[in-house]
Amino acid sequence: MITAKDLQLILQKPLHFLLKIEVLKDDGKTILDTLKGVVIGGTASIDSASSVRRTFSASLVPTLYDRNDTKITEEGLVWLNKELRIYACIMDIRTGTYTYYPLGHYIYTSSSGSYDAATNQLTITCSDYMSKLDGSKNGQIGALVTKIPAYEENTETGAVIKRNIIREAMIAVLKQSGGIAHYMVDDMGEYKALPQNNDNWKSYREQNPLWNAIPYDLEFSSGCTVLSILEKLRDLYPNYEMFFDEYNVFTCRMIPSCYKDDIIFSNEFLQKIYISEDTNIDMAAVRNICEVWGKVIEADFYTEQCSCQNNVYHCSINGYEEAYYNGDTVAVKIPSANAANPKLNINQLGAVNILDENTDAPVAANVLEKDVVFVFKIKSKRANGQTTYNAYLLGHWQAHGMNVLTDGTVGRDYTFHDGTVCPQYSKKYFQKKYNCESVELEIIPNSPFTVQKLGEILDVKTGGDYDHITSDSLALSLAKWENWKSARLTDSITLTTNLVPFFDVHLKILYQSSHSDIPEQYIIKSVNHDFGTWTSTLSLMKFYPLYNDVIKEIGTHRVLSEYKHGTLNKYAHYKLTEFIGGDPH
């Protein structure tokens, strides 16, 4: 917790810093000694985009008394089985006492020293504990094949005994293969089952008991690393991060959206410690449309014998069982477009609701198109002690989704080569142009990267891990995440200040840049401390709250009231109809 006293220490003049480097046994607890000497330079970095989040390097000149301890020998303080705990210390000039701020827990990755009488200098380079899991210092798996099954079964009957849970599998890998005892691993699973995404998450979990289960068997070849296994488990669902914190606790959690977070550092504070600023936009990396192609779905059953009566699709499938079965995938050629809340009835087993796999909501009108084959997955739910079945819409034969960054306005009518006419940059325009029904418009009016300002800059994701995306809805969610990275993380500022040892990533700040008339919100992406100049350099990402989050939190009226009347006139019709689930065209 950053306090007012911490901020006051940074604003002192003059500032007095020192580094404290504790050397520990490889148990990570027992302090052997401290590395003593005059620090003549070094850096510590925190990078939210890297698996090895924290790195540290320093050069120091040991005192004559301490030279033997700092020799690179098994008996010295600089050796393979030693660990480091490092603090930046600030003196309170009123009391002469120091406050210690942890910079992290590290292991040696390389070291060198020169003991010439004229140039006696020791240089150390360290990384956080992830280096013990990624193969740098340790972490390789020697088994021929490492397998994490989706479930355990009875060897005699083949019946499923237990579904394996993602979080439990990750903890087992951490403890058994990585030797990690201190960890904080959040629940991982379906979007609607997480409390930060759904107010009714408890009910959703009860109705969807497989929400956090490993969806398919995971296999890893000999020579893989503990980190690669952990990453595979983490990436079963998007938007999670793994790292070791400054106290050496392994953490796996959803990447903070920072939407509800307080502003930690004010513009007033930052202006007082400001040294320099550099605006940087990676033009080559900017994208504002992301198209995700997922798995080609191999259905268990297929039929073209289907009719529709009263919004219920009645289909006949040869060889289908006498009852619905959890996990069956069924491909059906749709005879006519649906109304809202359609149902599916296979072999007269009873009509079941057709739901969107990602949102768990009934499918909207006209989603199922005439003469197009759609794939459904039969899934069971438990509620009030009874089992019910639903048909979850996976989409077309191949999962496909697209996210578009837009300011919410549309252009003039656009005529396609087949004569179809629709307003440019409308949802129908993107559906038609890219032959993709699952299109989501990400409305951020003040973004400099919208299609209205830059034109259409497409990023296509296919193959590799994307082949595990099993539905249009999941493809849509991942497209939103990928577009967020390429269309917003590129809008950044590099800010250099006096050294602040408690800067960290994913903190929200308020800062007025040299090219802005007002303070704006930013998120810290990375931190680099320089112990030669005693400065901190921050990489800042401009914070753009998701428009639907703003609507949810503070209401449509308050959001729209922030726009001038001349601007509001362009937005109101298209935005409001999108927000309530309608179609402005």
Side-chain angles (χ1 to χ4, degrees), residues 407-409 443 445-446 560 563 567-576:
D407 67 11
T409 64
I443 302 174
N446 60 339
L560 294 181
Y563 293 95
T567 305
L568 177 60
N569 186 47
K570 295 190 298 179
Y571 289 99
H573 174 64
Y574 299 106
K575 284 185 179 176
L576 288 177

Side-chain angles (χ1 to χ4, degrees), residues 244-361:
F244 281 90
D245 69 11
E246 64 268 38
Y247 301 103
N248 204 33
V249 176
F250 177 90
T251 302
C252 181
R253 67 181 185 184
M254 184 168 282
I255 297 175
S257 69
C258 298
Y259 174 65
K260 297 180 181 179
D261 292 2
D262 293 331
I263 292 172
I264 304 301
F265 299 104
S266 68
N267 180 59
E268 181 183 10
F269 172 76
L270 292 171
Q271 295 296 340
K272 290 179 179 178
I273 62 173
Y274 167 92
I275 295 176
S276 66
E277 169 200 313
D278 180 31
T279 301
N280 178 34
I281 297 179
D282 188 351
M283 299 296 184
V286 172
R287 300 288 185 273
N288 51 27
I289 302 176
C290 183
E291 181 180 22
V292 171
W293 290 93
K295 183 177 182 178
V296 176
I297 301 170
E298 298 178 3
D300 299 320
F301 302 92
Y302 172 77
T303 184
E304 294 185 4
Q305 301 178 34
C306 183
S307 62
C308 185
Q309 297 174 348
N310 299 322
N311 208 29
V312 178
Y313 291 95
H314 299 271
C315 59
S316 176
I317 301 178
N318 293 329
Y320 197 80
E321 299 290 341
E322 298 179 356
Y324 290 113
Y325 183 75
N326 187 51
D328 279 345
T329 53
V330 180
V332 180
K333 187 174 182 179
I334 299 300
S336 59
N338 67 292
N341 306 319
K343 298 180 183 294
L344 181 68
N345 189 354
I346 301 176
N347 292 352
Q348 301 302 314
L349 295 176
V352 297
N353 292 318
I354 298 176
L355 304 179
D356 181 280
E357 191 196 28
N358 188 43
T359 65
D360 208 47

Side-chain angles (χ1 to χ4, degrees), residues 351-566:
V352 297
N353 292 318
I354 298 176
L355 304 179
D356 181 280
E357 191 196 28
N358 188 43
T359 65
D360 208 47
V363 169
N366 299 315
V367 170
L368 305 176
E369 305 162 86
K370 181 181 179 181
D371 297 329
V372 175
V373 176
F374 287 89
V375 183
F376 305 90
K377 186 171 185 176
I378 305 299
K379 293 175 67 175
S380 62
K381 277 188 175 184
R382 290 288 295 174
N384 300 321
Q386 294 184 337
T387 300
T388 59
Y389 289 89
N390 293 293
Y392 283 83
L393 175 62
L394 300 184
H396 302 84
W397 284 104
Q398 184 173 14
H400 191 197
M402 173 176 286
N403 183 271
V404 180
L405 180 61
T406 170
D407 67 11
T409 64
V410 297
R412 298 177 180 178
D413 284 348
Y414 184 93
T415 303
F416 290 93
H417 60 84
D418 64 355
T420 301
V421 179
C422 57
Q424 190 176 29
Y425 302 145
S426 66
K427 186 173 182 177
K428 285 186 177 180
Y429 165 84
F430 292 107
Q431 289 174 322
K432 176 67 177 178
K433 181 172 182 178
Y434 295 97
N435 192 27
C436 179
E437 287 301 314
S438 299
V439 173
E440 182 178 43
L441 302 183
E442 195 71 49
I443 302 174
I444 304 181
N446 60 339
S447 171
F449 304 134
T450 63
V451 291
Q452 286 82 358
K453 294 178 180 177
L454 298 182
E456 300 167 40
I457 309 176
L458 179 65
D459 185 17
V460 179
K461 305 292 187 181
T462 184
D465 288 340
Y466 299 101
D467 286 338
H468 298 309
I469 303 300
T470 57
S471 71
D472 288 358
S473 293
L474 293 177
L476 199 62
S477 294
L478 191 57
K480 180 176 183 176
W481 166 239
E482 294 289 352
N483 212 27
W484 182 83
K485 291 192 293 184
S486 60
R488 279 169 266 183
L489 289 177
T490 49
D491 188 1
S492 61
I493 287 178
T494 300
L495 179 65
T496 300
T497 70
N498 296 335
L499 191 139
V500 180
F502 41 85
F503 276 147
D504 205 349
V505 295
H506 295 320
L507 296 182
K508 185 187 288 185
I509 71 170
L510 191 65
Y511 174 67
Q512 183 174 344
S513 67
S514 58
H515 60 274
S516 176
D517 297 329
I518 58 172
E520 297 175 291
Q521 294 182 16
Y522 290 86
I523 305 299
I524 300 176
K525 288 170 53 183
S526 66
V527 181
N528 188 76
H529 302 304
D530 189 320
F531 304 121
T533 59
W534 297 102
T535 58
S536 296
T537 300
L538 308 178
S539 177
L540 306 177
M541 173 191 73
K542 186 176 288 186
F543 176 66
Y544 296 110
L546 296 179
Y547 206 85
N548 56 348
D549 286 341
V550 178
I551 290 290
K552 177 180 177 181
E553 293 296 324
I554 66 175
T556 305
H557 172 74
R558 284 183 57 190
V559 173
L560 294 181
S561 66
E562 294 178 2
Y563 293 95
K564 297 177 181 178
H565 289 292

Side-chain angles (χ1 to χ4, degrees), residues 30-58:
T30 307
I31 300 175
L32 296 174
D33 204 342
T34 58
L35 283 177
K36 304 178 184 69
V38 179
V39 176
I40 59 175
T43 62
S45 66
I46 313 170
D47 187 353
S48 63
S50 175
S51 296
V52 180
R53 176 160 290 193
R54 297 173 183 272
T55 58
F56 174 85
S57 64

